[in-house]
Amino acid sequence: MTPGSRTESGRLALGSRRVSRWLLSRLAGSVFVLWAVATLTFFAIRLIPGDPAEAVLGGPGSQASEETLEQVRRDYGLDQPLVAQYLQSLGRLATGDLGSSYALKVPVGELLAAQLGGTILLAVVALALAWLIAIGLSLWSTTGGRVAASVGQGIELTSAALPHFWLATVLIAVFSTQLGWFPPVSTGDLRGLILPVVTLALPLSGFLAQVMRGTLLDTLDSPFILSARARGEGEIGIRLRHALRHAAIPGISLSGWALGYLISGAVVVETIFARPGLGRTLLQAVTLRDVPVVTGVVIVVAVVYILMTVVTDAASRLADPRLRLEETR
């Protein structure tokens, strides 16, 4: 074996060890996040006034007898100490058992599987639209002079501060009631998806544009940009080929958080637009004190957030060669 081959083998072995450590740290962090989410959800849902046994029987209006309530408590383990209920809940979650819905009497896994697709579609399309708006706004505000910079900054601040419920109400009033372009509630087709997507995307786009604009301005003063200008490359090519990629790195790193933000916003949006999904399911479950459904929704959202964080971390390394260089040292 030549010295060069030994050196290359050593680099590959070092790279494999670094990837293994990265995966192990991600796995340990994911387990901790899921445990923390399950724990906080378990105790928080029990702070809601009411008896879980009544939720099993259909709510306070069921007028169930005390004997029936006692039987339900025994059947569901609600008569045991809180710590014992907590440990049993963790044990079920560790095996992938989310339990059955108190209100609907169906497995939580099946219920969430039927609702997950709609929420993920809504969040992913909204994230894509938010990125398109943020890229366009940041490019325009950094190339259009002082007026464009001032107007763009105002648009970014205003968009980032818009509450979802207020924006949804305005969009329905303008584009549904007055203009009649889009339906005010979900219809299951593309037209029924547009207003919910815009409602979620606009506030996020303002935040992403703020992050990208600041990074883009710093990147345009970097030495490699000055070198590109010295080679005679045009300003459009510099921004699209060089500066934009570096400016997008902070936004890419925040995309995992952004997806979680969009899913949490879906609670409001899906309720206002009567759109089926995890957000609307979560709101109904909290109202009915349906503990297994609430826990299941939160766990699923946490898993989606973890997966998205891993993907965005990998995308950041692909977009930024400096991160890959640090890993090989």
Side-chain angles (χ1 to χ4, degrees):
M1 181 179 293
T2 63
S5 300
R6 287 195 296 268
T7 303
E8 184 65 23
S9 300
R11 289 179 179 176
L12 292 176
L14 180 60
S16 299
R17 288 196 296 270
R18 290 183 182 275
V19 171
S20 299
R21 285 199 297 268
W22 181 79
L23 290 175
L24 288 175
S25 65
R26 282 292 184 179
L27 179 60
S30 300
V31 172
F32 175 78
V33 168
L34 292 176
W35 168 79
V37 166
T39 300
L40 291 175
T41 304
F42 177 87
F43 289 104
I45 196 66
R46 278 156 179 79
L47 295 177
I48 300 176
D51 188 351
E54 290 184 343
V56 176
L57 296 171
S62 62
Q63 299 181 348
S65 64
E66 187 61 33
E67 292 79 8
T68 303
L69 290 174
E70 288 295 334
Q71 183 62 45
V72 169
R73 294 188 186 102
R74 286 193 296 270
D75 293 342
Y76 285 83
L78 300 174
D79 59 337
Q80 299 181 14
L82 190 61
V83 174
Q85 296 181 42
Y86 167 68
L87 293 177
Q88 290 178 0
S89 175
L90 286 184
R92 289 193 298 268
L93 291 176
T95 62
D97 181 12
L98 298 177
S100 296
S101 168
Y102 289 168
L104 301 176
K105 305 298 188 295
V106 297
V108 174
E110 296 180 4
L111 176 64
L112 299 186
Q115 304 296 327
L116 179 61
T119 299
I120 293 298
L121 174 64
L122 178 63
V124 170
V125 176
L127 181 60
L129 179 60
W131 263 106
L132 290 176
I133 296 174
I135 290 173
L137 188 58
S138 59
L139 286 174
W140 175 68
S141 63
T142 56
T143 57
R146 293 183 177 179
V147 175
S150 300
V151 174
Q153 187 173 6
I155 294 174
E156 293 165 4
L157 292 172
T158 303
S159 299
L162 291 176
H164 288 132
F165 70 89
W166 181 87
L167 182 58
T169 303
V170 171
L171 291 177
I172 290 174
V174 174
F175 294 101
S176 295
T177 304
Q178 295 185 4
L179 299 178
W181 291 357
F182 306 107
V185 297
S186 177
T187 56
D189 57 6
L190 180 60
R191 293 181 68 248
L193 183 65
I194 291 177
L195 291 186
V197 166
V198 173
T199 301
L200 284 175
L202 281 181
L204 179 60
S205 67
F207 179 78
L208 291 176
Q210 284 179 303
V211 175
M212 288 187 62
R213 180 173 54 83
T215 310
L216 185 60
L217 290 174
D218 293 337
T219 303
L220 290 174
D221 293 330
S222 300
F224 74 94
I225 296 294
L226 298 178
S227 299
R229 289 196 178 103
R231 293 193 301 267
E233 190 166 351
E235 287 297 321
I236 295 179
I238 288 175
R239 281 170 168 76
L240 294 180
R241 293 179 54 191
H242 303 291
L244 186 60
R245 186 180 70 174
H246 290 268
I249 291 173
I252 292 174
S253 301
L254 290 172
S255 292
W257 165 85
L259 188 65
Y261 165 82
L262 292 173
I263 293 178
S264 64
V267 176
V268 175
V269 172
E270 290 175 352
T271 301
I272 293 176
F273 290 98
R275 179 179 175 81
L278 287 182
R280 194 177 178 193
T281 300
L282 176 61
L283 181 61
Q284 293 172 347
V286 172
T287 303
L288 297 174
R289 199 182 168 89
D290 198 337
V291 177
V293 174
V294 174
T295 304
V297 171
V298 175
I299 290 295
V300 168
V301 172
V303 170
V304 172
Y305 171 78
I306 290 170
L307 293 176
M308 188 63 184
T309 302
V310 173
V311 171
T312 55
D313 192 15
S316 297
R317 281 162 170 74
L318 290 175
D320 191 351
R322 294 172 297 180
L323 297 176
R324 298 196 300 270
L325 181 60
E326 290 177 359
E327 291 181 351
T328 57
R329 290 176 178 174

